[in-house]
Amino acid sequence: MIDLIVDIVFALLAVLSAVWGAFVLKKLIALNRRYKRAIVLIPLYKRSKWPIFALSLLGLCLVGDIVYMIVKPGDWILTLSVLVIIGMLASVLVAMILTKCAVLDSGAIVPFRFIEWARFYDYRIEGTTIFFIGDDRGFDTMGAATGKLDFDEANLDKLKFILEKYKNR
C-alpha cells in the first residue's frame, strides 16, 4: 500500500514538474527570441555560477537514479518519475545558462525577465557591475531588484547615457 502511494505521489510530481518546466522553458525561449530579434546596445553578463553547480548535482542524481533502476528493476514508476523530474530540472537549468542578458533598443533583458523601458524605474552601477530596479519600492523588495550583472568597462558612459534617458523617476 505504501509503495502504491509513493508511486502515485512521484507520478504526480513528475507531471507537475513537466508542466512547470514547459511553462518556464516557453518563457526562456521567448526571452532568447526577443534577444535575437532586437538591437543589442550593450551586452550584460551573469555573475552567478550556481546553475552550473546545480546541473552537476542533477547529473549525480541521474546516475543515482540509473543505479537504483538497475538494482531494483521492478520499481519503474518511481524511477521513471524521478527521471522526468531530473530531466525537466536539467533542461530548465540549461536554458537558464544559455539565456543572454543585454540592454536592448526596446528594454533590458535581465536574468530571466524583460524590463520594458516604460516599466524601467532605476539602476545602480558599482564599478563594472550593474543591477536594475523594476519599481518604486527599490532595493527593499526581492521582486524589484535584479541580480548583479557585469558589463565591459568601455561601455560605461554609453550605458549610463541610455539608462538615464529611460529612467522613470
Side-chain angles (χ1 to χ4, degrees):
M1 180 67 174
I2 299 263
D3 289 341
L4 180 63
I5 292 172
V6 169
D7 285 345
I8 290 171
V9 167
F10 272 92
L12 288 174
L13 285 173
V15 169
L16 287 174
S17 70
V19 169
W20 169 80
F23 176 73
V24 171
L25 286 172
K26 181 180 175 185
K27 289 188 85 156
L28 291 173
I29 289 169
L31 275 178
N32 284 329
R33 282 187 186 144
R34 184 180 292 261
Y35 179 87
K36 288 178 183 175
R37 291 181 182 156
I39 298 170
V40 176
L41 302 176
I42 299 170
L44 302 172
Y45 309 101
K46 296 177 269 194
R47 300 178 72 187
S48 178
K49 303 293 184 219
W50 73 264
I52 296 169
F53 172 74
L55 196 57
S56 302
L57 187 63
L58 282 175
L60 290 174
C61 292
L62 178 65
V63 169
D65 188 44
I66 292 170
V67 168
Y68 184 77
M69 199 181 299
I70 293 169
V71 170
K72 196 167 181 185
D75 206 358
W76 290 105
I77 295 175
L78 176 66
T79 54
L80 289 177
S81 296
V82 170
L83 189 66
V84 168
I85 294 168
I86 291 170
M88 288 311 295
L89 287 173
S91 61
V92 167
L93 284 171
V94 167
M96 287 171 59
I97 291 168
L98 295 176
T99 300
K100 295 180 182 177
C101 299
V103 174
L104 307 174
D105 57 338
S106 58
I109 293 181
V110 295
F112 325 120
R113 67 179 166 160
F114 178 72
I115 301 173
E116 295 179 38
W117 290 131
R119 300 185 70 146
F120 174 65
Y121 182 71
D122 202 5
Y123 67 96
R124 181 177 226 167
I125 296 177
E126 296 174 356
T128 59
T129 302
I130 185 169
F131 41 105
F132 296 89
I133 305 165
D135 63 15
D136 59 354
R137 290 176 284 180
F139 292 106
D140 296 333
T141 60
M142 293 300 288
T146 67
K148 293 180 179 180
L149 298 165
D150 289 333
F151 60 92
D152 186 13
E153 191 172 354
N155 292 327
L156 178 63
D157 293 332
K158 182 179 175 183
L159 181 62
K160 283 182 180 178
F161 175 77
I162 293 167
L163 296 179
E164 284 297 321
K165 179 180 173 183
Y166 292 110
K167 189 161 90 168
N168 288 325
R169 262 197 161 196

